[in-house]
Amino acid sequence: MRSAIFRDSERFLSSPCFDRPLLQRAFRQPWATNRCYRRHRSLYAPSSSLTGTAPPHIAPQATMGLEGVTELDDDLAGVIGDDGLMTVAGFGSLLSERSSRYTFPDLLNFRVAKVPDFRRVFAHAAPIFFQRGIARVETGETSSLGVEPCKGAELWVACFEVPATKEAIEAFIEREHEFRFVKVFPEDLAENGFSTGAKSRPAVLCCRNTDEEYKAKRCPPEEFNRRYGQYGIHKVFRDDIFPCRVYLRHCTLAAKNLHPLVFDNFMDRSYLGDRKTTVREYLAKNPSIMEELPPPELEERYCG
């Protein structure tokens, strides 16, 4: 009888989540003796998508308040155009068109864009990871990804349009229930690889919230207990937890598959709750994350 390890390895190699070119790319470092590091070394080498040289380290900027940020009502009317479409700016799993279509099967015009003065941060607990059995409570690896205002930062995203039907808006709110919805003006990517600098149609972006405002606006006590309490989550937005492993792997692959600019931005300008540790640094210290397969029922949705 085949061992469980053998069966898992066999499933890994045959899985659509297995990214052989990514694992085989070479990059030498004197400390690259760790087996997992060697298999994913291309992730840990800082790079510039346009010049091929390593970018200078930029210290994370101070988090901004929400002054000057337009918060949307739950009808999302502020981002619905005359054509009846609304634009969504995705920064995590929505960097994957395949994953996006699970929520928005009728999405249109999936493309790369840039949103100034925002950054990604892994700093809130997500009940969906508990529901799907991929949260690791014992190690604190339960965090999902959000964004927050940050002066001078750049956030590379995937934008797309969806029909602004009642059903689509409700599906969006259910998927992103804990966030503030803010109105931004993404700059679409030009053919030469740079941002056009021209603002496109307004988009909804899911911004970090606070527990107090979330409970007051959208999640009263009974609802909070239903969504979070049953999993032992009593505080949603917190800085002392770490990314869910399967989810981080999925977002990393999604960013890599979308565009080099998105990938570098995700790796070098996305932070853990300390606002200091980048995703690239975190993966270099925890390379086994990139071998963390999703459960079989999530393979298609969580493979980048």
Side-chain angles (χ1 to χ4, degrees):
M1 182 179 294
R2 295 179 300 174
S3 70
I5 294 176
F6 180 85
R7 290 195 303 270
D8 288 347
S9 299
E10 187 179 58
R11 182 166 69 89
F12 176 76
L13 292 173
S14 61
S15 166
C17 294
F18 179 65
D19 189 344
R20 190 177 298 275
L22 176 63
L23 303 185
Q24 292 177 338
R25 195 185 304 173
F27 180 83
R28 294 187 178 275
Q29 284 286 350
W31 44 272
T33 56
N34 180 285
R35 178 179 63 86
C36 294
Y37 169 82
R38 291 199 306 271
R39 297 183 71 182
H40 301 281
R41 65 190 72 182
S42 62
L43 293 175
Y44 314 127
S47 64
S48 169
S49 303
L50 300 177
T51 65
T53 59
H57 177 73
I58 300 176
Q61 302 93 331
T63 302
M64 294 166 53
L66 288 173
E67 299 81 6
V69 175
T70 302
E71 187 168 356
L72 297 165
D73 293 329
D74 281 0
D75 60 7
L76 305 182
V79 294
I80 299 175
D82 294 338
D83 54 4
L85 301 176
M86 67 177 185
T87 303
V88 176
F91 51 82
S93 60
L94 292 182
L95 295 174
S96 163
E97 182 172 357
R98 176 175 52 216
S99 184
S100 300
R101 287 189 181 277
Y102 274 88
T103 302
F104 308 108
D106 300 323
L107 71 81
L108 306 166
N109 194 22
F110 195 89
R111 63 195 184 277
V112 175
K114 181 181 72 173
V115 179
D117 295 328
F118 282 89
R119 67 177 174 192
R120 296 178 183 85
V121 59
F122 283 90
H124 76 274
I128 191 68
F129 299 153
F130 291 82
Q131 296 169 18
R132 293 175 174 169
I134 57 176
R136 288 195 178 186
V137 180
E138 67 278 6
T139 57
E141 291 168 298
T142 61
S143 181
S144 188
L145 185 60
V147 302
E148 61 188 14
C150 183
K151 186 67 175 177
E154 289 184 349
L155 177 70
W156 284 91
V157 300
C159 282
F160 53 87
E161 278 73 53
V162 297
T165 63
K166 179 175 181 290
E167 293 74 21
I169 292 172
E170 289 176 349
F172 180 79
I173 292 174
E174 179 61 29
R175 177 187 175 118
E176 314 291 4
H177 197 262
E178 67 271 27
F179 291 105
R180 297 176 188 267
F181 302 140
V182 301
K183 180 178 181 179
V184 295
F185 290 88
E187 302 169 7
D188 287 349
L189 184 69
E191 292 183 2
N192 62 6
F194 292 91
S195 167
T196 62
K199 294 181 179 180
S200 64
R201 56 191 294 158
V204 57
L205 182 69
C206 295
C207 191
R208 176 179 168 86
N209 209 339
T210 66
D211 280 67
E212 294 73 20
E213 295 200 27
Y214 174 44
K215 291 176 182 179
K217 180 175 181 179
R218 197 179 295 136
C219 203
E222 288 187 8
E223 178 74 359
F224 188 91
N225 186 62
R226 182 182 72 82
R227 289 179 177 272
Y228 298 94
Q230 62 174 311
Y231 303 111
I233 302 173
H234 304 293
K235 183 175 176 58
V236 178
F237 296 93
R238 49 192 299 176
D239 301 334
D240 60 346
I241 53 178
F242 302 96
C244 170
R245 296 168 69 87
V246 168
Y247 175 74
L248 174 55
R249 179 182 181 276
H250 167 52
C251 292
T252 302
L253 293 176
K256 175 185 175 290
N257 292 335
L258 182 56
H259 195 279
L261 283 171
V262 179
F263 179 62
D264 283 349
N265 181 254
F266 180 84
M267 296 293 285
D268 299 317
R269 301 293 178 261
S270 303
Y271 297 91
L272 270 62
D274 61 6
R275 276 61 170 188
K276 297 178 181 178
T277 306
T278 67
V279 164
R280 194 184 300 274
E281 292 167 341
Y282 185 68
L283 287 176
K285 294 176 181 177
N286 301 275
S288 63
I289 289 173
M290 293 308 297
E291 297 192 6
E292 192 86 9
L293 277 183
E297 65 273 16
L298 296 176
E299 280 187 356
E300 180 68 18
R301 185 166 190 160
Y302 272 47
C303 21

